[in-house]
Amino acid sequence: MSSQPATPQRRITAPDIAAKKGVEPIVSLTAYHAHTAALADKYCDFLLVGDSLGMVMHGYETTVPVPLELMIMHGKAVVRGARRALIVVDMPFGSYEESPSVAFRNAARVMKETDCGAVKLEGGRRMAETIRYLVDRGIPVMAHIGLTPQSINVLGGFKVQGRTDAQWAALEADAQAVADAGAFSVVLEAIPAPLAERITRSIAIPTIGIGASADCDGQILVMEDMLGLSPRVPKFVKKYGTIGEQIEGAIRDYAEEVKQRAFPAVEHTYAMSATQAAAQKAAVAPNSAAKPRK
Ligand code: KIV
């Protein structure tokens, strides 16, 4: 047996992610729970505790109602489940837009309470000052531009962005602004592939595509979407599994077996102790052990 103590796993950091640009594709998924985080940890460079959890797990129509406390609760679970991947926690709507100092207070709370390695926030040029403020004070920031779901009420729906010349130019400027402000990476969501490619070539930080293009420096998907657990998914999702069907099939079989009294079977039940068994036997046939009378 080796007397060497096991080397503790070093967690991937935000600078490690930034350093992957031009070196190797960055793999990431969302994660909301400890058990799925543990499964994804080996394969992903970072796991995002996305505020999409409000829609995927909690049944909200949009991400707008998601409270900070919910992000912290799921953030803690994911940090406990994964030992290697960088954990990035989304700042929910209303927790950072007001001012850099409000953003710092809430982002610091997320970092302290979850022990995550970075936060993500939505917005380009309008958030540049805040990104700079957070980074200068020790909080690594991932930016998110293109389709920014927290702005759904302004955008008027989950629509592809960057399809007009004005939007295209605005998104290029947004990407440059968040990179200049010190973000360590930027999510590009639902934008035309040529725009994603152009931004990826023009900025110094990694782009993480979701509905963008294979030219991005990395990719992210909502785990439940790619597993086939979400009932409806956007066009950009490729389903790598049929977990929803498997879960429903298992529940259907269970319900049927309960109704048929086929579950639990003997192997799923507990036997009584030998003493209890002897006592029961004696109670059922009290004279059986006595000597027969002549
Ligand atoms: O909330 C989320 O899951 C996200 C990803 C889709 C990038 O922001």
Side-chain angles (χ1 to χ4, degrees), residues 5-193:
T7 319
Q9 178 88 59
R10 186 178 89 79
R11 225 185 242 286
I12 295 172
T13 63
D16 292 335
I17 298 293
K20 286 182 187 288
K21 188 170 178 96
V23 177
E24 59 177 6
I26 298 162
V27 182
S28 65
L29 282 171
T30 61
Y32 312 136
H33 345 80
H35 62 288
T36 46
L39 291 172
D41 192 31
K42 201 174 5 169
Y43 306 100
C44 291
D45 299 305
F46 75 87
L47 293 172
L48 171 69
V49 185
D51 63 349
S52 53
L53 64 81
M55 299 171 72
V56 176
M57 288 200 60
H58 294 271
Y60 291 121
E61 286 290 311
T62 72
T63 56
V64 171
V66 173
L68 189 64
E69 287 67 27
L70 199 60
M71 297 309 302
I72 291 175
M73 189 181 290
H74 284 282
K76 284 180 181 171
V78 170
V79 170
R80 283 193 294 261
R83 298 176 53 226
R84 173 185 161 273
L86 169 71
I87 309 301
V88 183
V89 176
D90 244 343
M91 298 298 295
F93 178 67
S95 69
Y96 62 94
E97 301 88 335
E98 191 178 335
S99 69
S101 57
V102 167
F104 178 78
R105 194 169 316 123
N106 286 324
R109 187 174 160 210
V110 168
M111 301 275 299
K112 282 158 96 93
E113 293 187 29
T114 67
D115 206 20
C116 69
V119 299
K120 175 166 84 59
L121 51 79
E122 296 183 5
R125 282 159 294 167
R126 68 186 167 87
M127 292 315 302
E129 187 193 349
T130 297
I131 293 171
R132 169 55 60 206
Y133 191 90
L134 297 183
V135 174
D136 281 351
R137 285 157 182 78
I139 299 182
V141 179
M142 176 177 287
H144 181 160
I145 64 171
L147 172 54
T148 46
Q150 292 175 11
S151 303
I152 192 75
N153 292 307
V154 174
L155 300 176
F158 295 99
K159 295 176 186 162
V160 179
Q161 301 297 303
R163 277 188 160 157
T164 64
D165 289 350
Q167 280 184 2
W168 177 297
L171 284 168
E172 281 196 274
D174 283 339
Q176 194 60 61
V178 298
D180 291 346
F184 71 92
S185 60
V186 56
V187 170
L188 306 180
E189 179 164 355
I191 64 172

